[in-house]
Amino acid sequence: MSEKISSHIIGLGYYAPENIIDNSYFSQFMDTSDQWIQERTGIQERRFVNKGQGPSDIAIPAVKIALKNANLSVNDIDFIIFSTSTPDYYIPGSGCLIQEKMNFPNIGALDIRCACTGFIYALSIADQYIKTKTYKNVLVISSEVQSTSMDLSNNGRDTAVIFADGAAAAILTANFDGEGILSTHLHTQGKYAKELWVESPSSAMSPKLDKNIIKSGKHFLKMNGREVFKHAVKRFPEVILEALNHNKLNIKDIDLLIPHQANIRISKMVQKKLELNDNQVFSNIHKYGNTTSASIPIALCEAINQKQLSKGDILVLAGFGSGFSWGSAILKW
Ligand code: COA
């Protein structure tokens, strides 16, 4: 009889840049208020990088902690998956940069750009490599520097107050006791690509970037907040139920749901739709804002630090974001 392999997280780490930005910071650039931001988003403060730091830089402390927790060294890692929608450069990927900066051996490094669903996509890829016995230890990194894509004028006030910087890392390895990832479910709907996007610099434009593009603000992140909200509150419950059904589990089986920290109102609506209690849903958006693909693993690290997960618990992770893309992962902790 062949042994059943699953992929389990054996080490986690996160890094929140030291630069704490509270809501009052934005009032010097745009018409906004602490009250508006807290009421509409739940965010009280967030972290921004120091000038010159990219996602590969802020990922380093997160990876170091994850390696320490897993009791592994860089030489034990077989493959890197780097999830970011804000890469250091267009070319090459941030995975190559961290391979060099942390002296990993010449292993493969794959960048993925699945926005706020990136960590779920990355887990699903790691899971396939581990289950097929291609790699033993896979490092997943989610790291984002959104602060440099924000329009700090009134035109950008709906995004600038929401998106923030942060990094997290997870190390996955083969498990033979039925623990770890039970399933992943992934979706996209490119019809809505332009509802949350950065239009430029773009390879479809010639020149990629010029004064006019910068003047028109096409290099800033743009969001149709109402459209994003409408789809998010539909897709989160849908993809969570899809995952539960696949595993023959019920809502009451969820010990902890960690949704992508998009907006507290979205999370509250999802909680209400699924009739989950407050202890079943994790939230830390008030401290970090929306850190795109880093938000789920940062929240997972904090949930563990706060002892909200015990061995054998059913953990549900769910993401939604630009693309639109959405997905879920269920793990037996
Ligand atoms: N401060 C003060 N006013 C703001 C503001 C800010 N930071 N941002 C937008 N506004 C204004 C708008 O300009 C608008 O003004 P107007 O009525 O004079 O035109 C007013 O607030 C209402 O705008 P609206 O877009 O209808 O507000 P909203 O209730 O939909 O809230 C969001 C805006 C962005 C908070 C909300 O749409 C949202 O949460 N969307 C989902 C965002 C999200 O989660 N994104 C991440 C997905 S991964």
Side-chain angles (χ1 to χ4, degrees):
M1 214 174 80
S2 68
E3 51 190 357
K4 185 142 173 31
I5 306 181
S6 56
S7 324
H8 201 17
I9 296 174
I10 54 160
L12 276 161
Y14 79 102
Y15 175 69
E18 284 145 32
N19 204 4
I20 301 176
I21 305 292
D22 66 16
N23 290 341
S24 66
Y25 168 84
F26 296 97
S27 304
Q28 56 184 314
F29 309 108
M30 58 185 79
D31 299 326
T32 191
S33 67
D34 175 49
Q35 191 189 350
W36 192 97
I37 299 168
Q38 287 211 43
E39 277 176 14
R40 305 292 177 107
T41 71
I43 301 167
Q44 293 170 9
E45 58 186 39
R46 76 286 289 139
R47 308 297 182 98
F48 282 0
V49 294
N50 292 321
K51 214 172 173 183
Q53 284 185 305
S56 66
D57 299 308
I58 62 168
I60 294 171
V63 173
K64 282 185 179 166
I65 298 167
L67 283 168
K68 190 163 179 263
N69 288 341
N71 207 13
L72 295 178
S73 80
V74 290
N75 295 318
D76 297 313
I77 299 298
D78 302 306
F79 193 66
I80 300 169
I81 304 169
F82 200 116
S83 163
T84 184
S85 46
T86 53
D88 298 66
Y89 308 114
Y90 256 103
I91 302 171
S94 296
C96 298
L97 303 183
I98 200 138
Q99 181 274 329
E100 168 64 15
K101 287 177 184 175
M102 293 193 70
N103 287 317
F104 281 98
N106 294 343
I107 52 175
L110 170 70
D111 268 40
I112 62 160
R113 297 198 305 135
C114 305
C116 300
T117 323
F119 186 68
I120 309 285
Y121 272 79
L123 286 185
S124 81
I125 298 166
D127 191 33
Q128 304 312 312
Y129 278 128
I130 289 168
K131 282 201 297 211
T132 54
K133 298 186 182 172
T134 309
Y135 298 123
K136 185 168 174 249
N137 298 317
V138 178
L139 169 65
V140 166
I141 299 167
S142 288
S143 182
E144 306 277 0
V145 174
Q146 284 285 12
S147 54
T148 50
S149 302
M150 294 301 128
D151 179 353
L152 287 178
S153 75
N154 262 354
N155 292 334
R157 64 181 178 165
D158 57 337
T159 49
V161 301
I162 291 179
F163 292 93
D165 307 338
I171 296 165
L172 289 97
T173 199
N175 181 286
F176 302 94
D177 301 323
E179 291 165 343
I181 298 174
L182 302 181
S183 68
T184 53
H185 288 85
L186 309 173
H187 298 276
T188 57
Q189 197 174 17
K191 185 180 168 183
Y192 298 106
K194 296 183 180 176
E195 304 298 352
L196 181 50
W197 73 325
V198 182
E199 187 177 356
S200 183
S202 147
S203 308
M205 277 187 207
S206 185
K208 273 187 183 178
L209 189 64
D210 62 15
K211 275 185 193 157
N212 291 332
I213 292 173
I214 292 178
K215 210 169 151 197
S216 63
K218 288 180 177 165
H219 59 303
F220 292 126
L221 181 77
K222 294 275 166 40
M223 175 176 74
N224 180 347
R226 285 188 176 190
E227 201 64 14
V228 171
F229 198 100
K230 198 174 83 188
H231 287 265
V233 295
K234 177 171 178 268
R235 297 307 189 183
F236 271 115
E238 204 176 85
V239 79
I240 292 166
L241 290 173
E242 183 182 13
L244 289 171
N245 290 340
H246 178 86
N247 291 289
K248 298 188 174 47
L249 295 168
N250 295 308
I251 287 170
K252 65 173 172 36
D253 296 318
I254 300 177
D255 292 297
L256 193 64
L257 165 65
I258 301 184
H260 162 52
Q261 305 291 299
N263 181 316
I264 195 66
R265 291 190 301 147
I266 292 176
S267 295
K268 288 279 175 213
M269 217 172 258
V270 172
Q271 177 179 341
K272 200 171 162 202
K273 275 194 179 179
L274 294 177
E275 298 181 5
L276 292 160
N277 63 47
D278 285 350
N279 293 334
Q280 284 175 291
V281 186
F282 190 85
S283 172
N284 63 0
I285 193 165
H286 57 290
K287 289 200 287 184
Y288 302 119
N290 178 336
T291 57
T292 323
S293 77
S295 93
I296 293 174
I298 290 176
L300 178 55
C301 291
E302 289 212 321
I304 289 164
N305 291 346
Q306 294 167 20
K307 306 212 181 320
Q308 295 205 28
L309 270 174
S310 307
K311 195 173 157 63
D313 276 358
I314 294 295
L315 168 68
V316 179
L317 309 176
F320 176 89
S322 168
F324 290 147
S325 69
W326 63 101
S328 60
I330 294 201
L331 291 91
K332 186 173 178 205
W333 199 248

